[in-house]
Amino acid sequence: MSIPKPIEYFLTHYREIVIAGFAVPASFIHGVLYGLNNWVYRTFRNTSVSHDKAVKLIQDEVRAGWQNGQQMCTGRKPWKSMSSRSADFKASMHQVSIDHLRNVLEVDEVRHVVRAEPMVTMGDITHFLVPKGFALAVQAEMDDLTLGGLCMGVGIETSSHREGFLFETVEAFEIVIANGDCLRCTREDNSELFYALPWSHGTLGFLVAVELRIVPIKSHIRLEYEPCHSLKAFCSRLEELTASSDAPQFIEGLIFSSTSGVILKGDFAVPPRHARVNRINNFYKPWFFSHVARSLTEVGPFSEYVPTRHYFHRHTPSIFFQIKDLIRFANTVWYRYLWAWMGAPKISLMKLTMTQDVRRQVFEGRVAQDILIPIEHLAESVLLSADLFEIYPLWVCPVRLFDHDIHEGFLRNPANGGGGSQMFVDLGIYGIPATVKTGNYNQIQATRKLEAFVRDRGGYQMLYADICMTQSEFEDMFEHRLYRAMRERYAADRVFPDVYSKVRPESWIREQIEASTDITFGRSE
């Protein structure tokens, strides 16, 4: 259905008003209704029985598609995903609905395992687990990220310097494969498929449940803010902390310029009486990253206690750093008290109001990239980001990559000569490049330079972001051996698209790349 021209014009040219005036209150209403619906569903229905029935329906639908030779994908609407891509590949495929798989099925407090369906969000899981004294071993920050997306894609958190990615904490995947069978995959059973599923983005089958390791927690996090006044000092301190045998439970960094950053260290704690407790996500509080910046400019090193659930979702109210570009007045006192009580706008609802012109503006004038590089290349990465984008703050999250030996998946085994693991960092670059205002910014050139840098350093690009790689460049970045073997063994190549087909540049972006470079995308690309 086409959008009437006046409405399309308003959605495109008055974006800030649309986001503040529509997306914010609509997000609040959606959150209330979603929570009420979940409460009713979980209170008055047997979730285990409902789950079994739902999986049976999915199996029947997949078997029908298998018999008809149909290409299949999930029926989740593109605007509901965290990626800015349009997911135009779905138009020609049979779409299998999984949106109703959004329940926590059971918690085993003895084994320290939670079993849940793939559409359970990070907000859902903390609401469910934190009151019980538990949390995921790797708890991603943004409320609306789903377990399915994080386990079949990538999930990261400030405990990842110990635990690795979220998929390293998976005890079992339950997946409906191409012929409609439902397999339980663990490190012992269907082990090759188990190790091939992370980063596969639903191209080996449909995830219907996952078991994840959980850890006992305390009521608060004792958070320490450590300012650094040079890039060298920041990188050295981060390497020192992550290499320590008694490293803090949580480590992250925010870089505010090429010469300044703050390292945050956290551990579970119970605050003593009269201790400083900061409920950082209360609506009237300033954005968390602006609170962190005070360590550089006003107060120096300091520590405080933060309620555990507030800490887990500390970057949700400001969508990391992006809301400052979407609603420029959103950190003012008047906005926080009059409007911010409704929360941040959901990315999904902002995408719902995105016209094609806005999509082009987002691609050409905004950056949302996460790159994973060995920690020794962090300083070089920050300087490259400054040269290409000049965006601050930057998010830095250390993550340990583990050696899976013969079960090497989409991420290659560490190349550091042994030891079983290697420390990488995620560098998050989110915002509007400084040169956009002068008209000197070229997204395709900048993105391709970033991608080439990451490939040359043995790193990886998170695939929610826009990529400008050809298929051969993509296959140079990621290891496809086990993935291809599992595609063939379970006949996934017969009915499911491959990963590159799902994340490749949209057709109009491919045309721009071909027009501005000597690259020609093949028909399969």
Side-chain angles (χ1 to χ4, degrees), residues 3 17 31 75 131 144 195 204 248 273 280 283 292 335 377 415 424 460:
I3 303 173
I17 295 174
D144 290 339
Y195 285 102
L204 293 172
R273 191 176 182 185
I280 55 177
F283 67 86
V292 173
Y335 180 92
H377 297 303
F424 275 57
Y460 308 97

Side-chain angles (χ1 to χ4, degrees), residues 224-228 234 237 241 261-265 295 300-302:
E224 296 183 50
Y225 302 75
E226 186 176 319
C228 300
F234 181 95
R237 180 60 173 147
L241 283 170
V262 178
I263 292 175
L264 295 92
K265 303 170 293 181
S295 179
F302 71 100

Side-chain angles (χ1 to χ4, degrees), residues 16-54:
E16 197 166 23
I17 295 174
V18 171
I19 293 172
F22 166 75
V24 170
S27 298
F28 172 74
I29 294 169
H30 176 274
V32 171
L33 295 178
Y34 177 83
L36 180 62
N37 180 271
N38 280 354
W39 178 84
V40 170
Y41 191 91
R42 293 166 186 168
T43 301
F44 298 104
R45 298 189 70 177
N46 185 315
T47 54
S48 295
V49 173
S50 299
H51 172 76
D52 293 342
K53 288 181 178 178

Side-chain angles (χ1 to χ4, degrees), residues 322 415 431:
Q322 296 187 75

